[in-house]
Amino acid sequence: MAENKKVRLTLVRSKHGRLPTHTACVAGLGLRRMHQTVEVIDTPENRGMINKVSYLLKVEEV
């Protein structure tokens, strides 16, 4: 595990008015506000959250 692959996420649609589970996934990924960008490690747990709220995010491989 010397090389940790990362994914760059940007919140491009608002999380307000979404299902509580989707809001929780966005918070779990570390996103708080619109157009904020974070880098997360590409794990199966993070991939699951990304897939659940993919309609809110812009995803880039790093």
Side-chain angles (χ1 to χ4, degrees), residues 2-16:
E3 181 184 343
N4 287 331
K5 297 188 83 168
K6 291 197 171 189
V7 179
R8 183 176 295 138
L9 306 173
T10 305
L11 188 63
V12 294
R13 297 188 67 190
S14 176
K15 62 183 180 175
H16 296 290

Side-chain angles (χ1 to χ4, degrees), residues 15-61:
K15 62 183 180 175
H16 296 290
R18 307 296 176 189
L19 293 171
T21 54
H22 291 199
T23 306
C25 284
V26 170
L29 291 167
L31 293 163
R32 295 170 186 241
R33 62 188 66 86
M34 289 279 297
H35 307 294
Q36 181 184 3
T37 301
V38 296
E39 287 187 7
V40 296
I41 298 172
D42 193 5
T43 62
E45 295 83 2
N46 285 340
R47 268 295 167 184
M49 290 194 283
I50 291 167
N51 289 339
K52 193 170 200 176
V53 294
S54 61
Y55 66 101
L56 299 175
L57 304 173
K58 182 173 87 171
V59 181
E60 301 171 72
E61 301 290 332

